[in-house]
Amino acid sequence: MLDIQRGSRLRVASLEAASEQCASTKKRIEAPQLFGKGPKFSPSHWVATVNACGKGRQWQRALSLLKDVVDARLQADVIMYNTLISACGKGEEWQHALSLLFEIREAELEPDVVSYNAGISACEKCGEWLQALALLNKLWVAKLHPSAISYNAGISACEKGGQWQHALALFGEMRRARLGPDVFSYSAGITACGQGEEWKQALSLLGEMREARLEPNVTFSYNAAISACVKGEQWMQALTLLSEMREARLTPDVISYGAGISACEKGEKWQRVFSLLSEMVDAKLLPDVFCYSAGVSACEKTEQWQQALSLLFQIHEARLKPDVVSYNAGISACQKAGQWQEALCLLFDMWEAKPQPDVISATTPG
């Protein structure tokens, strides 16, 4: 353990406050502040400084602080290593995080659940699902019991890596271990269901979450469920969920409405698109290009070329730049209605706006 001299509580608080300020301003924290002058600080000083480095995404500086410990002929403990692993994770440096995890044993220390959790979380941030699963397995091998944090990070890593089957398998394993899934667990599980177009399972998980009265960040969970229904071609279910959000006095955000408008596009409900866009304006939400593009596509599918042009005009009014999807849908809507002049105008507009026209754009007007 570190050979230290105890400082006053005021001195500890001062360093922690300074460390927090460095994190918020991303100011470089120099090692001499810790080891160069004055009395030696306690591990809590060092941990506070490394935490500040992590919050400021200064993972390289955090790693250099470990070298300072060695140069000062001090002995790092597991807590210090855990803090470093976490700092690397926040900087999305999962390789360095895993390297530190292995170094713990080389230092003749035993990694604990917190060590593995920090490593799994580092992998989760980068979507390294295989590494996350390997660390979960190492927890069992080390005869340590994964916590809810372990499973949540693993589920999220699999979800980000597009491995929905593994994500749902971990969710089931979490239940069998009698670790109560929280909002984070459910949201990641629902998102994973969306990736696998398992909309029924997504609705089931959402129902369970509501029964468990888990409410924080529930908007995100609803968004994930709506997206799952859209991907599963269940546009009516998606719109029903959007209505349920309002009935439950939840506030749909741009993502909620975007998914709802995408559902209208799938269901060819162009009138509903305009209704949802109007609701967004009333709620003081600014539709993004995705919302408008989905709306233009809905109008194109139902041959509503004038409405498609209206939405393209609204994109410009909102000072947004239409993407190729928006232009292609608008051009196709005009072509289906025999409005070749309008189609050519849109094609010329696209060239001037500089989203790269593709084969569909160039061949549609003729």
Side-chain angles (χ1 to χ4, degrees):
M1 296 294 172
L2 285 171
D3 178 21
I4 62 166
Q5 295 177 11
R6 294 183 180 179
S8 68
R9 290 185 179 179
L10 179 60
R11 195 173 181 85
V12 172
S14 300
L15 178 65
E16 290 179 347
S19 299
E20 289 293 331
Q21 185 177 7
C22 288
S24 62
T25 60
K26 296 189 177 179
K27 181 179 177 182
R28 184 181 175 88
I29 301 170
E30 298 295 342
Q33 292 176 257
L34 288 178
F35 301 104
K37 297 177 181 179
K40 297 177 183 178
F41 293 126
S42 71
S44 64
H45 296 124
W46 191 92
V47 168
T49 305
V50 174
N51 273 328
C53 288
K55 290 178 181 178
R57 292 180 175 271
Q58 297 184 44
W59 60 271
Q60 293 145 312
R61 190 65 202 135
L63 288 178
S64 72
L65 290 176
L66 179 62
K67 182 177 180 299
D68 293 331
V69 171
V70 175
D71 290 346
R73 296 183 180 180
L74 303 173
Q75 177 65 47
D77 60 15
V78 173
I79 294 174
M80 295 169 73
Y81 271 107
N82 291 350
T83 309
L84 276 172
I85 295 169
S86 179
C88 289
K90 289 172 183 174
E92 298 184 4
E93 291 292 327
W94 65 273
Q95 298 98 327
H96 287 291
L98 296 193
S99 177
L100 285 167
L101 186 57
F102 298 139
E103 280 183 26
I104 294 179
R105 290 191 183 279
E106 293 177 4
E108 298 182 355
L109 298 168
E110 287 295 325
D112 56 17
V113 173
V114 176
S115 313
Y116 283 105
N117 285 352
I120 296 168
S121 294
C123 295
E124 176 265 331
K125 285 179 173 61
C126 301
E128 293 292 330
W129 63 277
L130 269 174
Q131 297 289 348
L133 291 181
L135 289 180
L136 273 169
N137 186 58
K138 285 181 181 292
L139 266 172
W140 289 110
V141 172
K143 296 182 179 180
L144 297 171
H145 295 291
S147 65
I149 294 173
S150 317
Y151 280 110
N152 283 347
I155 292 168
S156 183
C158 292
E159 175 259 308
K160 288 181 179 177
Q163 301 297 316
W164 62 273
Q165 300 99 325
H166 289 295
L168 293 181
L170 284 178
F171 191 90
E173 191 175 308
M174 187 178 187
R175 279 174 168 164
R176 289 190 292 274
R178 295 183 179 180
L179 293 170
D182 56 17
V183 171
F184 186 92
S185 320
Y186 277 108
S187 296
I190 292 168
T191 302
C193 290
Q195 292 174 341
E197 299 183 8
E198 296 288 331
W199 64 274
K200 289 183 180 179
Q201 181 72 11
L203 293 181
S204 175
L205 291 178
L206 183 63
E208 287 180 18
M209 189 183 71
R210 286 181 300 200
E211 287 178 6
R213 296 182 181 179
L214 296 172
E215 296 181 0
N217 200 26
V218 77
T219 297
F220 178 84
S221 306
Y222 265 97
N223 289 351
I226 293 170
S227 180
C229 291
V230 171
K231 290 178 182 177
E233 304 289 334
Q234 301 297 315
W235 62 271
M236 287 186 68
Q237 289 285 355
L239 293 178
T240 298
L241 286 175
L242 188 57
S243 296
E244 284 182 10
M245 287 185 72
R246 291 188 290 269
E247 291 171 5
R249 294 184 180 179
L250 298 172
T251 305
D253 56 17
V254 173
I255 296 173
S256 316
Y257 280 108
I261 292 170
S262 182
C264 294
E265 183 252 326
K266 301 284 186 187
E268 301 181 7
K269 299 294 180 182
W270 66 271
Q271 299 99 327
R272 189 78 176 104
V273 168
F274 284 87
S275 175
L276 291 177
L277 287 172
S278 178
E279 286 181 21
M280 291 185 74
V281 173
D282 292 340
K284 296 182 180 180
L285 293 172
L286 297 177
D288 57 15
V289 172
F290 175 82
C291 295
Y292 283 116
S293 294
V296 176
S297 295
C299 294
E300 180 268 334
K301 287 184 177 180
T302 52
E303 301 183 17
Q304 300 293 323
W305 67 276
Q306 291 170 312
Q307 301 296 343
L309 293 183
S310 172
L311 287 176
L312 282 168
F313 179 73
Q314 288 182 40
I315 296 177
H316 288 292
E317 274 198 325
R319 296 184 180 180
L320 298 172
K321 291 184 178 180
D323 56 14
V324 174
V325 174
S326 311
Y327 276 115
N328 281 350
I331 292 169
S332 178
C334 292
Q335 182 267 332
K336 288 179 179 179
Q339 299 294 322
W340 61 270
Q341 299 99 328
E342 296 288 354
L344 283 175
C345 285
L346 285 178
L347 184 58
F348 292 141
D349 283 347
M350 189 188 321
W351 282 332
E352 288 181 3
K354 304 206 173 168
Q356 191 65 35
D358 56 16
V359 176
I360 295 174
S361 314
T363 57
T364 298

